[in-house]
Amino acid sequence: MCDHDHSQSVSQEEAEAAVRTLIRWAGDNPDREGLLDTPKRVTKSYRELFQGYHSDPREYLERTFEEVGGYDELVVLKDIRFVSHCEHHMLPVIGRAHVAYLPTNRVVGISKLARVVQGFGRRLQIQEKMTAEIANTIMDVLQPHGVGVVIEAEHSCMTMRGVNLPNSTLITSCLLGTVREDARTREEFMRLVRN
């Protein structure tokens, strides 16, 4: 469990009242037939979209496998689709994460890497912070020789409001250990995620 338990500080009724207030603020009537159940639906979807606050992504990496048969090359999981929300506008950030690590003497199930991405993504985020959180968590828990994380995402706060730039993509990276320090390993990682 994460160190914050937000569900205890605000009741379901308070959350639904806030949605009704926003509907009124936007200029509509929350008592209109089509909107009667909207507060309940919105809070239900927010519970799912922000479930990252109710888990600790580090826990996904705790079960490892030491029988690796001498494998000592990069482990790369590409194209992990995620949906996050910009902490500045609470609008969707939709993207793909590419995660790699150079194991020491143990590996983790690949679905766990995807769960780490989802765990940090299902929070209010900025992409730069999310990229670093994923990389640092993998480095801290697995203690590999190195970690590489690249995230490519489209930010709705840029594409559907403000500067209105559809199809613009933000790319961030965090390279740690050997993936950062060794030019050949870094180039191999970048080549693998580009293909």
Side-chain angles (χ1 to χ4, degrees):
M1 192 69 157
C2 217
D3 54 349
H4 306 295
D5 191 359
H6 300 283
S7 64
Q8 299 302 317
S9 58
V10 177
S11 71
Q12 179 72 23
E13 293 76 23
E14 290 173 308
E16 289 180 21
V19 174
R20 280 192 288 281
T21 298
L22 285 173
I23 291 170
R24 279 195 309 276
W25 177 83
D28 214 322
N29 176 4
D31 296 321
R32 180 168 65 77
E33 181 183 14
L35 294 174
L36 277 176
D37 291 329
T38 296
K40 188 174 293 183
R41 287 191 295 263
V42 169
T43 55
K44 182 178 179 184
S45 70
Y46 269 36
R47 187 170 306 284
E48 182 179 337
L49 291 170
F50 299 118
Q51 67 187 359
Y53 287 113
H54 304 288
S55 65
D56 180 357
R58 298 174 64 88
E59 292 176 2
Y60 298 127
L61 301 173
E62 289 176 356
R63 182 163 186 252
T64 60
F65 306 96
E66 294 184 10
E67 291 182 24
V68 296
Y71 186 84
D72 63 355
E73 299 293 329
L74 280 174
V75 174
V76 181
L77 184 59
K78 287 177 49 172
D79 297 323
I80 305 166
R81 305 276 305 156
F82 71 89
V83 175
S84 190
H85 281 76
C86 160
E87 70 181 36
H88 301 134
H89 303 94
M90 293 183 69
L91 290 173
V93 175
I94 300 170
R96 298 177 301 147
H98 314 293
V99 177
Y101 68 100
L102 187 59
T104 47
N105 56 359
R106 59 192 178 137
V107 295
V108 69
I110 59 173
S111 69
K112 306 308 184 195
L113 297 174
R115 289 186 186 281
V116 170
V117 171
Q118 296 296 334
F120 285 115
R122 295 289 176 140
R123 301 174 181 192
L124 295 173
Q125 280 286 14
I126 63 168
Q127 186 173 324
E128 297 87 343
K129 178 182 169 197
M130 180 178 161
T131 306
E133 286 175 329
I134 294 166
N136 287 320
T137 297
I138 295 169
M139 193 71 168
D140 290 347
V141 178
L142 296 183
Q143 298 182 344
H145 294 295
V147 174
V149 175
V150 171
I151 295 181
E152 307 171 56
E154 185 173 290
H155 291 245
S156 299
C157 58
M158 289 247 324
T159 61
M160 60 187 273
R161 60 153 302 279
V163 293
N164 287 300
L165 291 174
N167 301 317
S168 60
T169 303
L170 179 64
I171 301 173
T172 52
S173 66
C174 184
L175 309 177
L176 302 173
T178 307
V179 178
R180 180 185 187 107
E181 296 156 6
D182 182 65
R184 288 183 307 156
T185 305
R186 184 173 61 245
E187 177 51 38
E188 179 185 3
F189 168 63
M190 297 309 274
R191 181 175 43 78
L192 288 170
V193 300
R194 280 193 300 260
N195 290 335

